Amino acid sequence: MALTHEPTAPYHSAQDALRLLETVARRSTGVTDAELVRETGFGAQRLTSLLRMLRREGYVEQAVDGAYVAGAALGRLGSAHGRERALGEKLQQTLDRLRDSVGAAVYMSRYIDGEVHVTRHAESPAAPAVHEWVDFRSSAHASAVGKSLLGQLDLNGRRDHLARHKMVRLTSRTITSEKALLSRLDAHPPTVPVLDLQEYAVGTVCAAVPITAGSAVGCLALSLPVEDAHRLRQAADRLNRGAAPVLLSLAI
């Protein structure tokens, strides 16, 4: 199975943040803003933005003298002992923060061994998760998550998936034509969120953005009740901007 996804803005942000983090980690006694600018080549505005994200995520801390040093979160993820648990906790904290930022339930999904898997999610009474009335693994053609994941596969990978999962009609808006779906996936720009406007479930709208981590196929998604559909695109853009910390955690 080949991939077709292209690097997105969150991917580039995560790569820049990782480069900056590596620079900080090499300097056990701390490194100043001026030294970071000189060593990374980032402009002052870009550096400030990246440092803000790294400090918020706990990967970098600022000492009393103003120098930057590696933070506690980096130490936990960098340790072989308990790394998986620390990564899970870190990802959940990031998803919880995203949920509150976008005002919607959020989901982290992966395409593993030919199947759609929602691996982690964050919901709350104010941001309830979508009711999984049809298994997400068999409804990729109808959901934002599924379409985002399929969109990152090549044509053979997409056809293989659709051959194993019949495109059944879930609502009056569900695409059931393989040709129509493949055409839509092929034409969709990788940097634009994929939308589900009541295609999976009546009363729910969703959006998904790809997360490119090595060769893995994944995405972040959100769901909203249809009465909040007017917020969908803005929430999707905010979700996309907030994807970099997730990618960074996966890359460390």
Side-chain angles (χ1 to χ4, degrees):
M1 177 187 67
L3 311 182
T4 63
H5 56 233
E6 301 176 19
T8 58
Y11 171 83
H12 290 302
S13 292
Q15 289 295 99
D16 287 349
L18 185 61
R19 179 182 168 196
L20 180 59
L21 188 55
E22 289 172 343
T23 303
V24 173
R26 286 197 302 267
R27 304 281 289 274
S28 59
T29 58
V31 57
T32 66
D33 296 77
E35 290 171 329
L36 287 172
V37 168
R38 184 169 61 252
E39 293 188 32
T40 64
F42 296 141
Q45 185 174 356
R46 181 62 169 163
L47 181 68
T48 298
S49 176
L50 292 170
L51 284 172
R52 185 184 302 117
M53 179 181 74
L54 291 172
R55 292 180 65 188
R56 183 180 65 240
E57 295 297 321
Y59 294 129
V60 164
E61 297 174 359
Q62 191 168 22
V64 177
D65 62 359
Y68 293 95
V69 296
L74 182 62
R76 288 193 294 270
L77 291 182
S79 171
H81 178 67
R83 171 179 165 75
E84 288 303 314
R85 179 178 177 180
L87 175 59
E89 292 175 349
K90 186 61 189 165
L91 286 173
Q92 191 60 50
Q93 291 171 1
T94 302
L95 292 182
D96 289 346
R97 187 179 299 116
L98 275 174
R99 174 202 62 208
D100 296 339
S101 174
V102 303
V106 296
Y107 314 80
M108 180 175 174
S109 304
R110 311 295 265 175
Y111 195 74
I112 305 171
D113 296 330
E115 300 294 349
V116 172
H117 294 271
V118 177
T119 57
R120 193 172 291 275
H121 75 282
E123 61 176 309
S124 71
V130 63
H131 171 56
E132 188 180 356
W133 76 286
V134 176
D135 194 320
F136 290 138
R137 290 174 296 180
S138 60
S139 57
H141 65 291
S143 70
V145 163
K147 287 184 289 183
S148 178
L149 296 177
L150 291 178
Q152 296 175 61
L153 307 181
D154 64 9
L155 180 58
N156 289 334
R158 295 170 187 172
R159 283 178 168 166
D160 173 74
H161 182 92
L162 297 176
R164 292 182 286 107
H165 297 284
K166 185 178 179 181
M167 296 175 60
V168 299
R169 187 175 300 281
L170 304 182
T171 77
S172 63
R173 295 173 175 265
T174 305
I175 299 173
T176 56
S177 163
E178 179 175 318
K179 181 179 179 181
L181 179 64
L182 292 176
S183 177
R184 184 172 296 188
L185 292 176
D186 190 53
H188 193 86
T191 56
V192 176
V194 177
L195 303 182
D196 158 17
L197 304 176
Q198 300 190 85
E199 296 171 52
Y200 172 78
V202 174
T204 300
V205 295
C206 305
V209 297
I211 50 173
T212 308
S215 62
V217 173
C219 72
L220 284 175
L222 63 86
S223 65
L224 287 168
V226 70
E227 55 265 28
D228 290 335
H230 62 282
R231 294 202 297 112
L232 183 61
R233 292 188 182 277
Q234 182 181 29
D237 289 341
R238 182 167 291 182
L239 181 73
N240 196 29
R241 292 195 300 271
V246 176
L247 288 165
L248 184 59
S249 293
L250 295 173
I252 293 176

